[in-house]
């Protein structure tokens, strides 16, 4: 008789969005005349920009011609895109990254989930709490969780680093030294950012303790403040201890087309001189089918000057929504965070409500759907996430309704 991987049975949070969907469906059935506005999901709504559409069409046409037809893509990505990433993303920041350290993928969810495979089973993992659930869940799937403590809502072998108002939603160094540290800034779900000085301290900490930082920079394009770093490689010594994960989803609307990449510097070596770069190349080459040529050409277009201009307009559109949400709620007396360097607003639930109580309250009174903070971890209890990815019209209507409660 086959046996299942029992660690899956302890996975938390995987039902968050289906729980939300069920509640919304029940409400809609009972109130068919009410117009629900969804500010809960982390998906974009603006269509792909013109320069991307043109690149897609051109690449499709190439596929119809014998001389330019392409078969299997190189496992690690086409040179034109890997080179463009080095030139247009990292050189601009004064950061040293080489083309053979760029691994093109189908997005940051896969990479941030799969990267744990190149670390030993007994590695100690540290994550922020609240957290993007993929980091914890994939380490559980990888057999690294230890027992689940149901009463505390935590896995024994995972180190949780609380992110609260007290530390501006950027973690303190944990009591116990981890081997692998997941950081995501600007952050989903809290919308918080980290200063360059603080990130440098994390890099120093990782080097001192021979740990690796996995830095998820999916929201880099939303940074508006000057002292917030766009890449961890702006920090000294990061090439020896940090992997950076990037995505075209949130900056260019590729959530449906799928494109991302991960930087694994060759300077990260274990005690025997084995590079993580060689392991990730092996893993990627064996288990990943490569991103389609057509999509990689579209990514190259995003990095062109015209692409940068057009996608910046989309980011500005969402950030205008973020500002409306932030200021509207603040004016209505809510305690709000985020929204300045990220398309997420993290609000403290009023009157001591739990995250789910506030979810029901908002659905009932304003017909607005958000995401309960407790779904992202223990420290998210008493908080609530709203996203700026809706249309401006819906965002305005939703906030105006909340203000009238
Ligand atoms: C949206 C998101 C991603 C996923 O990006 P894809 O490239 O679409 O897979 C990764 N990390 C965080 C924190 C995100 O919010």
């Amino acid at each position: 008789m086959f046996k299942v991987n029992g660690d899956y049975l302890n996975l938390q949070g995987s039902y968050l969005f289906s729980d939300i969907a069920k509640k919304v469906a029940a409400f809609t059935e009972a109130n068919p005349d009410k117009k629900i506005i969804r500010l809960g999901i982390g998906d974009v709504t603006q269509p792909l920009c013109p320069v991307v559409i043109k690149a897609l069409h051109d690449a499709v046409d190439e596929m119809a011609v014998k001389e330019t037809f392409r078969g299997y893509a190189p496992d690690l990505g086409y040179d034109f895109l890997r080179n463009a990433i080095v030139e247009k993303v990292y050189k601009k920041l004064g950061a040293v990254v080489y083309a053979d350290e760029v691994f093109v993928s189908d997005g940051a969810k896969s990479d941030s989930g799969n990267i744990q495979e190149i670390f030993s089973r007994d590695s100690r993992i540290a994550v922020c709490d609240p957290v993007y659930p993929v980091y914890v869940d994939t380490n559980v799937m990888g057999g690294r969780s230890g027992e689940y403590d149901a009463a505390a809502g935590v896995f024994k072998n995972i180190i949780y680093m609380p992110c609260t108002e007290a530390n501006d939603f950027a973690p303190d160094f944990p009591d116990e030294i981890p081997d692998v540290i997941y950081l995501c800034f600007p952050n989903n779900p809290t919308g918080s950012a980290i200063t360059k000085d603080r990130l440098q301290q994390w890099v120093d900490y990782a080097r001192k303790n021979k740990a690796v930082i996995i830095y998820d920079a999916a929201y880099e394009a939303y940074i508006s403040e000057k002292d917030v770093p766009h890449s961890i490689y702006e920090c000294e010594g990061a090439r020896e201890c940090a992997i950076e994960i990037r995505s075209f989803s949130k900056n260019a609307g590729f959530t449906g087309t799928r494109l991302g990449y991960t930087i694994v510097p060759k300077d990260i070596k274990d005690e025997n001189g084995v590079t993580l770069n060689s392991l990730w190349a092996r893993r990627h080459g064996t288990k990943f089918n490569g991103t389609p040529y057509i999509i990689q050409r579209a990514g190259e277009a995003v990095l062109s000057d015209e692409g940068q201009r057009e996608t910046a307009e989309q980011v500005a559109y969402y950030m205008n929504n973020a500002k409306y949400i932030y200021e509207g709620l603040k004016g209505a007396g809510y305690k709000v965070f985020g929204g300045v360097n990220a398309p997420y607003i993290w609000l403290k639930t009023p009157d001591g409500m739990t995250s789910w109580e506030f979810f029901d309250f908002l659905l009932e009174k304003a017909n607005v759907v958000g995401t309960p903070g407790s779904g992202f971890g223990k420290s998210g209890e008493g908080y609530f996430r709203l996203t700026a990815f809706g249309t401006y019209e819906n965002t305005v209507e939703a906030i105006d309704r909340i203000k009238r409660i």
Side-chain angles (χ1 to χ4, degrees):
M1 182 65 190
F2 71 88
K3 285 188 179 163
V4 300
N5 178 351
D7 290 328
Y8 275 61
L9 306 178
N10 288 326
L11 286 173
Q12 292 301 293
S14 40
Y15 301 115
L16 174 65
F17 287 98
S18 67
D19 285 350
I20 291 173
K22 272 184 221 148
K23 278 187 180 260
V24 174
F27 182 85
T28 310
E29 204 181 310
N31 305 277
D33 52 321
K34 299 245 164 85
K35 181 194 161 193
I36 288 185
I37 299 179
R38 292 166 200 272
L39 298 185
I41 44 148
D43 195 1
V44 297
T45 50
Q46 295 289 298
L48 294 170
C49 61
V51 73
V52 169
I53 294 298
K54 179 169 186 310
L56 286 168
H57 280 297
D58 289 350
V60 168
D61 288 343
E62 281 183 52
M63 288 299 210
V65 179
K66 196 166 182 202
E67 287 70 30
T68 50
F69 167 78
R70 312 262 179 155
Y72 284 129
D75 295 326
L76 310 183
Y78 281 104
D79 284 342
F80 65 78
L81 182 57
R82 300 173 93 190
N83 289 327
I85 289 164
V86 168
E87 293 297 319
K88 301 292 174 78
V89 178
Y90 290 103
K91 276 214 175 125
K92 244 186 212 166
L93 297 171
V96 178
V97 167
Y98 301 102
D100 59 358
E101 297 173 333
V102 179
F103 296 87
V104 176
S105 74
D106 63 358
K109 184 174 85 174
S110 325
D111 286 352
S112 65
N114 292 328
I115 197 82
Q116 49 84 22
E117 287 185 25
I118 64 173
F119 296 98
S120 83
R121 272 281 284 274
D122 59 358
S123 303
R124 298 301 305 264
I125 305 297
V127 296
C128 292
D129 171 24
V131 66
Y132 178 61
V134 171
Y135 313 152
V136 173
D137 291 2
T138 53
N139 276 289
V140 173
M141 292 170 179
R144 214 172 274 114
S145 57
E147 271 165 53
Y148 182 61
D149 180 343
V154 297
F155 291 101
K156 227 173 91 196
N157 286 358
I158 290 179
I159 301 167
Y160 297 85
M161 305 183 290
C163 295
T164 61
E165 275 178 72
N167 57 20
D168 285 330
F169 302 99
D172 301 315
F173 299 135
D175 297 335
E176 196 184 336
I177 291 167
D179 302 305
V180 182
I181 303 156
Y182 288 78
L183 295 178
C184 170
F185 289 105
N187 188 262
N188 176 14
T190 68
S192 66
I194 194 167
T195 62
K196 182 160 171 205
D197 288 349
R198 184 61 187 149
L199 188 59
Q200 181 68 56
Q201 289 170 12
W202 270 104
V203 168
D204 296 345
Y205 173 88
R207 286 174 76 195
K208 193 178 100 200
N209 294 301
K210 308 237 174 304
V212 172
I213 295 173
I214 296 170
Y215 195 69
D216 185 339
Y219 295 96
E220 169 277 331
Y222 292 83
I223 293 170
S224 70
E225 291 181 317
K226 261 209 139 64
D227 59 345
V228 175
H230 287 253
S231 163
I232 196 165
Y233 303 117
E234 291 176 49
C235 295
E236 227 181 288
R239 282 187 53 84
E240 288 164 37
C241 67
I243 290 171
E244 181 163 287
I245 298 175
R246 294 263 190 140
S247 168
F248 285 76
S249 286
K250 314 298 172 25
N251 63 332
F254 276 47
T255 53
T257 24
R258 309 306 298 148
L259 182 63
Y261 57 93
T262 286
I263 308 296
V264 188
K266 282 169 289 185
D267 297 1
I268 315 178
K269 296 175 181 154
D270 82 346
E271 56 191 359
N272 301 314
V274 177
T275 66
L276 292 186
N277 181 284
S278 67
L279 297 188
W280 187 242
R282 185 83 172 84
R283 193 272 170 209
H284 215 54
T286 303
K287 285 198 185 179
F288 178 59
N289 275 334
T291 311
Y293 172 71
I294 296 162
I295 305 301
Q296 293 194 48
R297 281 294 183 201
E300 181 188 33
V302 168
L303 297 174
S304 69
D305 291 346
E306 183 59 16
Q308 291 294 285
R309 207 183 52 72
E310 290 178 4
T311 52
E313 273 174 31
Q314 297 192 332
V315 168
Y317 177 92
Y318 296 130
M319 286 312 275
N320 188 44
N321 291 348
K323 194 168 171 211
Y324 196 88
I325 299 171
Y326 184 93
E327 286 176 0
L329 294 179
K330 201 169 174 187
Y334 285 89
K335 206 162 186 193
V336 280
F337 307 93
V340 176
N341 296 296
Y344 295 113
I345 282 79
W346 188 243
L347 64 99
K348 182 101 194 78
T349 58
D351 307 325
M353 278 189 230
T354 66
S355 299
W356 276 109
E357 282 167 358
F358 187 70
F359 176 92
D360 292 333
F361 172 80
L362 212 59
L363 181 58
E364 191 75 33
K365 305 279 190 220
N367 313 142
V368 171
V369 178
T371 312
S374 55
F376 299 100
K378 222 162 45 117
S379 298
E381 181 57 273
Y383 290 91
F384 200 76
R385 190 191 76 173
L386 293 176
T387 85
F389 285 127
T391 62
Y392 179 69
E393 294 71 23
N394 278 346
T395 304
V396 168
E397 193 182 332
I399 298 308
D400 291 353
R401 285 188 202 166
I402 295 173
K403 283 199 236 172
R404 283 198 302 269
I405 298 176

